[in-house]
Each structure stands twice: as C-alpha cells, then as structure tokens.
Amino acid sequence: MTMFLKVVPLFVVVFIALLATSVHAFQPTAEQIKQFQSLPDDKKKSLLKSQRKSSSPVAGGVSSAVSVESTVKPILPVQKVTSSSDLKPFGYSLFAGKPTTFAPVKSIPAPTDYVLGVGDQLKVFIFGTQNDEYQLIIDRNGQVTVPSIGPVTISGMTFSDAKSLLLKKISSLGVGVKSSITMGKLRSFRIFVLGESRTPGSYLVSGMATITHALYVSGGITDVGSYRNVQLKRRGKVIETLDLYDLLLQGNTENDVRLQPGDAVFIPKLKRQVSIAGEVYNPALYELKHEKTLKDVLALSGGIKPTVYKKKVEISTVVDSAFRKIFMVDITKNKGLQYPIKNGDLIKLAPLRGSNNDLITINGKIHGEGRVKWFAGMSLLDVIPSRSLFVDDADLNNILIKRQEKIAGDYQILKVSWLKAKKNQDSKDNIKLKPRDEVHVLSRMNSSIRRGVIEDILTDLKLTSSYHSPFEFVTGTGMVKFPGQYPLTSGMTIKDLIDLSGGLQLSAMLKQAELYRYETKNGEKREVERIYVDLNKVMSGDLQHNILLQPHDDLMVKQVSDWSDTTRKVSIMGEVAFPGVYTIKPGE
C-alpha cells in the first residue's frame, strides 16, 4: 500500500508536466487532478500514453520524426516527369487565397500622383506668426474647409497639385505664415471584381488599392480566366489592361494602376493555352498572347533545365478536334525551336537518362522517397534502419523488392518483412540489396494505393515476359482483405499470398480453402487441379499444408456459411411486453 501511495504522486507530476508542455498549454484544475488520482494504474498509463501522442511536437512546428543516423544518405529524388494533369495555370498560387478586405499598411507615404477623393484626410500644420494644426477630411462636395480661408475644392486633384494649391492659399493669411501638408487617413471605397474571378462580387478596398490588390482580395483567377487580359473598367469603358505575365516574369507594375470608387476589374476567359511539363523551371499551363513558336513558349516557362533531353521534345497536338497527334522535336536545332505552337498543345520535356547501376530506389509509404547510393553488403536495414521512417499506414510485413540482375534482363520479385528483419538482423528478411533494386513499401489501409503499386509491378513483369520467360503471377480471391493478382515472389507459399493479400477477413472459413493449379499437358491442353487446404494449419506454419505456389495458382478463401444471415434483425414495437431490436436465426 505504501508503494502505491508513492507511485500516484509521480504519475500526477508526469501527467501535469505532459499537459503543461502540450501545444495548447492546458492547465489541469484541482478537480481534474483529483479525478486522475482516483484512476487505476492501467488507466493512468493508458492516459499518459495517449497524452504523449497528442502532445507530439509536430503541432508546434517541430518535426516528429526521430533523428536516425545511417550510413545511407539520399543523394537525389526519384525523377518524375510532371504529369499534365498536375499542372496549374502559371500565376495560380500568387492570388489564390481566402477573400478578405485588403488594407495596405498605413505608414506607407502617399505618392505625389495619388488622386484625392471623398473621405481622404489631410493634415495641415501652420507655424510662424500663427501656430495651428488641422485635420481636414474631403466632404461629399469634394471640398475641405480651411479655417480663415473657407472651402477649397480638391477632389479629383493629385496630392501634389492639391498641396500646392493649399500652401498658396494659406500663405495669403499674412506675412510670416508658413505651413506643412501631409496625407492623413486614406479613404475606403467599394469596387467590383467580375468575370472569371474565384469569388466575384463587391469589395471594400483602401484608396491605395490597385488591380492586383483587387485580384488578391477576390481569391484570384479561375482556371479558365485570362491572366494576360485583366481589364479595368470605369463608367463602362476599358481604361487599362493588365498582363500579369509582365508582373510575374519581369516585375513590371506599370499597368497596375490604382483604383477609384465604382471601378470594375473584369477578368475575361482565356482564348489560347498550352501545357508545359517536365524539365523546365516552371511547369504550368501558359496562356498565349503573342507567342507563336516553341522557343517563345519555353521562354515563358523560365527556360529549360540542364537535365533536359533536347533531342526529343514531345508535342501533343489536337487534330480536327477529334484526336491528338504526337510529334517529336529536336530543340538542338533552330528548326525545332521555331516549331509552330497551337492552342491546346501539350509539351513534355523528358529528363536525360542517367545510369542507375549504383542506386537503390525507395518509394511508397515511407518518409523521403528517393534514391540512395548502393554499397557492397547493403541490407534492407541499412536503407530503412528505423520504424519512424515509415508512414502510419505502411505494411511493414509485406515489403516488395523488384530486382533486375542484368541490364535489360528479366525482373525478379522478392517479399520480405521489415519487422522480422528488425527482430533478427541475420534473418533472410534483412535481405542483401543489389544495384538497381526497387524497394516498395505498400499501404495496409488504402486499397487503391496498394493496388496501384501491385499493378505497376505486374505491368513491368508482363511487358518483359516472353514465351521462354513467361509472366508469373498468382491470385488470391474470396475472404481476403485485398483480393486480386499478385506477382509470384521467390519461394512464395500460401501464407505469403494471404499476407500479401492483406490477411484473412473475419468471415473467412479456415477449415477448408481451395487452391486451383493450372498445368498444360503435352503443350496441347490446359488442365486444372483442385487442392483442398486447411488454413488453420497453414497459418500455424505447417509445411505440409503451407505449400509452395506455382505460376498461375489461384487461392479461393471461402466464407463461413450463413455469415451474413446472422446479422439479420427485426424491430418489434408497440403494445408488447419487451419491445426492441431482435436478431433472428435463418428460417425464423
């Protein structure tokens, strides 16, 4: 009992310390501490464990990944040519955001060409033979009233002209009267953002607002809006046109003029657009204005990278609004650079093909996908030394390795368990890797992602197969988590196939499964053999039942009889002794 009393305060101290260091700096009350003390030890430990997880430093801006020292360092990312479906319009991210009232910093001095309007404030300081200070606001008549002078109309004048006029009038008050005039608070007014805006409507902006401010406050331009023909309309007439590419590519703000009350910023639909993907500095969708050639369009994208393969630039062109035709262009020659570009063209620039003979590729559900330098004796744990490197839904028991012993040779698929390798570093699961190996970490939750990786591997196996080196696969169907085709891995057993299929479902009948084995007799006829399998013995590791699989084997896991019928329920309501929901048996 004494020992228990000593342990409780320690738990309380740890509990309070964890709460105090949480992201939200939660402070427990006396009542909460009392409730915690009354909990059993196992509940306290469970609560502390969950609190540690919730107080992860990720929320505080510090990475939660455990620092791991490894002899293997990533040297370059997996090279991927940007897909055209991933592209966004050039300039998309500049204005994208939640609409809000835009208010420039108040301390910015007003430029001399700022046009005054109703609501603007002027600060007038008079000194010399008189000493006064006035804050004058332009009224609805466009006038300010200066003491001893009277109303002066300045609305519509630039700040510079209005300042000169007022200085002249104040100097007439007498000999030795001097003055200083500055801008005070700026007026606010409403403008309209119309057309292909993400959130068209009326917005309240400051007197210093320009066209780009209006675009920002309205959330930017839609995917079909023009970035190169943004119009400023005043009283129904277009008084300015802004090409945002001038701003984005050259920093030219000449046409980004200030707005006036009632102005409308109109964004028309774009007319011509091309897609540029791959080895350029800014892959994106680009709107065409005066650009006509491939050279012109590549200049918009910031130019090509040194890693581009110049001999074959792929251009996909729409022909007769019916289909696409692909052309290969050599941009090492001027003729290729002068290739005419049409609306809707898709331009892909592939990277140079380098040698991967000394690299290992790692992808899937792991932090930091990429390639690492191979060295003699490298094992799986050298590449993935810590569990913290995996993503939460990684399947640690089913890691696939795609191996190609010789360049342009056949592929071999291997399956290993990272957990078994970690438990025993001398086990076969801590496999020795070879140059060009691809390590694939599957998802144990997302069937589409898991299936996508499997399908990519199966496709590679199928494309490299031949009569003398056939495509080898096995199939798991029925009551497994992820049914479908899987590559036949080296030394694969029934249990391996079940594991690769995500394991058995709760409704699986373990007493008897069926394995269908196909064999071609004398090169003339294909026959099928049915083999009955006791999954209870398979899962326990019985070698007699956990047999080695052969190409095209098909395992079918049956469902327990009447599994779905046991969940049938009926509701009995009304004037009965015991109303409620009741489970009924088959036949009732």
Side-chain angles (χ1 to χ4, degrees):
M1 183 64 181
T2 304
M3 186 173 180
F4 174 74
L5 290 174
K6 289 181 179 178
V7 173
V8 170
L10 177 60
F11 276 128
V12 174
V13 171
V14 176
F15 176 65
I16 295 173
L18 284 171
L19 290 176
T21 56
S22 69
V23 175
H24 301 289
F26 174 75
Q27 184 64 35
T29 65
E31 181 63 21
Q32 289 169 330
I33 295 174
K34 185 177 179 180
Q35 291 177 1
F36 180 78
Q37 289 176 327
S38 65
L39 294 174
D41 284 0
D42 58 335
K43 293 293 184 181
K44 292 172 184 173
K45 291 178 181 179
S46 176
L47 180 59
L48 288 170
K49 185 177 180 180
S50 64
Q51 181 62 27
R52 290 190 189 101
K53 291 181 179 179
S54 65
S55 60
S56 169
V58 172
V62 182
S63 174
S64 63
V66 177
S67 177
V68 179
E69 293 187 5
S70 171
T71 56
V72 182
K73 304 293 182 183
I75 60 173
L76 60 131
V78 178
Q79 290 184 342
K80 296 180 181 178
V81 177
T82 308
S83 169
S84 59
S85 61
D86 298 332
L87 298 177
K88 293 289 185 182
F90 180 64
Y92 170 86
S93 60
L94 182 63
F95 300 109
K98 186 177 180 180
T100 180
T101 297
F102 182 86
V105 180
K106 296 180 180 179
S107 59
I108 295 178
T112 56
D113 62 346
Y114 175 74
V115 178
L116 297 172
V118 176
D120 279 331
Q121 183 188 69
L122 298 179
K123 291 184 178 181
V124 179
F125 302 92
I126 298 176
F127 54 92
T129 57
Q130 296 183 25
N131 289 287
D132 289 300
E133 177 182 342
Y134 305 109
Q135 294 182 356
L136 308 178
I137 298 177
I138 302 176
D139 61 23
R140 293 184 178 180
N141 294 323
Q143 299 175 329
V144 291
T145 301
V146 184
S148 303
I149 293 177
V152 180
T153 301
I154 59 173
S155 180
M157 299 175 64
T158 64
F159 173 62
S160 177
D161 291 342
K163 181 178 178 180
S164 299
L165 175 62
L166 291 175
L167 288 174
K168 182 178 180 181
K169 288 185 175 292
I170 292 172
S171 64
S172 65
L173 292 177
V175 179
V177 177
K178 298 181 180 180
S179 61
S180 172
I181 301 175
T182 61
M183 282 296 302
K185 294 181 180 179
L186 300 177
R187 71 188 187 277
S188 295
F189 52 79
R190 288 201 169 272
I191 54 94
F192 299 91
V193 183
L194 305 171
E196 294 303 321
S197 167
R198 293 197 173 275
T199 50
S202 173
Y203 292 92
L204 185 67
V205 296
S206 164
M208 293 287 286
T210 64
I211 297 175
T212 52
H213 295 157
L215 295 175
Y216 177 83
V217 77
S218 63
I221 300 173
T222 65
D223 291 345
V224 296
S226 172
Y227 281 72
R228 309 198 66 177
N229 187 30
V230 181
Q231 300 172 2
L232 175 60
K233 293 188 175 184
R234 187 169 296 158
R235 290 184 288 276
K237 296 182 179 180
V238 177
I239 65 166
E240 191 61 80
T241 300
L242 175 65
D243 184 347
L244 286 172
Y245 283 21
D246 289 342
L247 175 66
L248 296 168
L249 297 174
Q250 304 172 25
N252 183 0
T253 61
E254 180 181 359
N255 296 328
D256 188 21
V257 297
R258 274 189 291 274
L259 304 176
Q260 292 188 18
D263 279 355
V265 176
F266 180 75
I267 308 165
K269 282 185 170 62
L270 60 84
K271 295 182 179 179
R272 299 170 62 229
Q273 186 183 63
V274 296
S275 306
I276 306 180
E279 296 300 292
V280 293
Y281 287 105
N282 297 307
L285 303 173
Y286 286 89
E287 181 181 356
L288 301 182
K289 192 173 183 180
H290 305 299
E291 295 78 17
K292 296 180 179 179
T293 67
L294 179 58
K295 182 179 180 180
D296 297 335
V297 174
L298 292 178
L300 290 178
S301 66
I304 59 176
K305 294 181 179 179
T307 54
V308 68
Y309 183 54
K310 298 181 181 180
K311 290 284 187 180
K312 289 186 178 180
V313 173
E314 178 183 314
I315 301 178
S316 175
T317 299
V318 178
V319 178
D320 298 330
S321 300
F323 61 92
R324 281 189 174 274
K325 189 174 183 180
I326 296 177
F327 300 89
M328 291 297 180
V329 177
D330 183 357
I331 61 173
T332 62
K333 300 177 181 179
N334 186 60
K335 182 179 179 181
L337 291 173
Q338 297 303 318
Y339 184 88
I341 295 298
K342 299 178 181 178
N343 181 34
D345 279 358
L346 171 58
I347 304 165
K348 293 183 180 179
L349 295 94
L352 290 168
R353 294 183 178 272
S355 173
N356 297 329
N357 291 337
D358 58 349
L359 299 178
I360 301 292
T361 302
I362 311 167
N363 55 38
K365 290 297 179 175
I366 190 166
H367 295 293
E369 293 180 295
R371 292 174 178 171
V372 296
K373 183 80 172 177
W374 175 85
F375 59 82
M378 174 186 279
S379 67
L380 177 66
L381 291 181
D382 288 324
V383 175
I384 313 175
S386 171
R387 188 172 188 145
S388 65
L389 297 176
F390 291 100
V391 178
D392 283 343
D393 68 332
D395 188 346
L396 276 59
N397 274 318
N398 291 286
I399 293 180
L400 296 180
I401 298 174
K402 187 170 75 171
R403 174 168 291 172
Q404 190 181 42
E405 297 274 5
K406 299 178 181 179
I407 296 177
D410 295 332
Y411 288 111
Q412 179 186 9
I413 307 301
L414 307 168
K415 186 182 85 70
V416 294
S417 167
W418 184 90
L419 291 177
K420 292 180 180 179
K422 190 67 175 177
K423 186 176 181 179
N424 181 8
Q425 297 188 13
D426 296 326
S427 68
K428 66 176 183 178
D429 289 276
N430 190 24
I431 187 172
K432 298 297 182 183
L433 298 176
K434 295 185 178 182
R436 299 190 306 278
D437 276 358
E438 296 180 12
V439 180
H440 297 272
V441 181
L442 303 176
S443 169
R444 62 186 175 91
M445 298 180 186
N446 192 313
S447 61
S448 60
I449 294 177
R450 186 185 183 100
R451 194 70 239 165
V453 175
I454 299 295
E455 290 296 338
D456 288 343
I457 293 175
L458 290 173
T459 299
D460 288 342
L461 292 175
K462 190 180 297 184
L463 291 175
T464 57
S465 64
S466 64
Y467 180 82
H468 297 290
S469 180
F471 171 41
E472 297 185 343
F473 66 92
V474 291
T475 305
T477 59
M479 296 298 103
V480 291
K481 188 174 181 181
F482 303 115
Q485 284 188 354
Y486 291 92
L488 178 63
T489 62
S490 179
M492 192 176 200
T493 64
I494 292 179
K495 187 176 184 304
D496 291 329
L497 175 57
I498 292 174
D499 289 343
L500 198 53
S501 301
L504 297 170
Q505 295 188 28
L506 189 61
S507 57
M509 185 172 72
L510 301 181
K511 187 175 181 179
Q512 186 187 82
E514 296 182 6
L515 179 69
Y516 303 103
R517 178 159 288 173
Y518 300 91
E519 185 179 359
T520 302
K521 296 289 186 180
N522 302 322
E524 297 178 351
K525 182 179 180 182
R526 194 185 193 203
E527 296 182 353
V528 59
E529 177 187 4
R530 181 186 288 110
I531 302 173
Y532 294 101
V533 180
D534 187 336
L535 293 183
N536 282 307
K537 295 181 179 180
V538 167
M539 301 310 289
S540 65
D542 188 322
L543 297 179
Q544 184 178 352
H545 290 79
N546 189 26
I547 61 178
L548 288 173
L549 296 179
Q550 297 181 10
H552 307 151
D553 277 358
D554 187 343
L555 176 68
M556 200 277 283
V557 180
K558 301 176 182 178
Q559 187 182 52
V560 171
S561 179
D562 295 330
W563 175 266
S564 59
D565 289 339
T566 59
T567 60
R568 294 190 301 175
K569 297 181 181 295
V570 294
S571 298
I572 302 177
M573 312 297 290
E575 298 301 320
V576 293
F578 304 104
V581 179
Y582 292 86
T583 300
I584 59 173
K585 297 187 297 184
E588 286 187 330

